[in-house]
């Protein structure tokens, strides 16, 4: 299996705590994790060789979702908020 990890940031570069990062596979199955104190997250145990979509939700900030190609190794994906809601 592989993992996706990274950091969720607000404009200015500080980490965002308690944001939800959701991983969706091609069949629509989802897995979610919550960011830690400095905005870090990690989702492990992901099946290799598939495409996934990652989305971040926060009560205060808006984020673009990210599509990642076929995973065959660990991937680091950071998110930066577009603006405050």
């Amino acid at each position: 299996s592989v993992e996706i990890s990274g950091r969720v940031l607000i404009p200015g570069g500080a980490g965002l705590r308690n944001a939800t990062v959701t991983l969706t596979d091609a069949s629509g199955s989802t897995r979610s994790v919550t960011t830690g104190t400095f905005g870090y997250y990690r989702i492990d145990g992901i099946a290799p060789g598939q495409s996934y979509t990652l989305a971040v939700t926060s009560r205060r900030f808006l984020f673009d979702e990210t599509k990642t190609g076929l995973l065959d190794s660990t991937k680091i994906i950071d998110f930066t908020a577009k603006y405050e809601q």
Side-chain angles (χ1 to χ4, degrees), residues 7-10 21 41 54-56 63-66 77-81:
R7 200 164 176 216
V8 176
L9 307 166
I10 63 172
V21 180
Y41 74 92
L54 284 163
V56 177
F63 295 85
D64 288 328
E65 68 179 31
T66 298
I77 300 175
D78 293 337
F79 293 89
T80 300

Side-chain angles (χ1 to χ4, degrees), residues 48-65:
Q50 296 185 38
S51 294
Y52 294 93
T53 300
L54 284 163
V56 177
T57 54
S58 164
R59 288 181 285 175
R60 191 168 164 199
F61 295 94
L62 294 176
F63 295 85
D64 288 328
E65 68 179 31

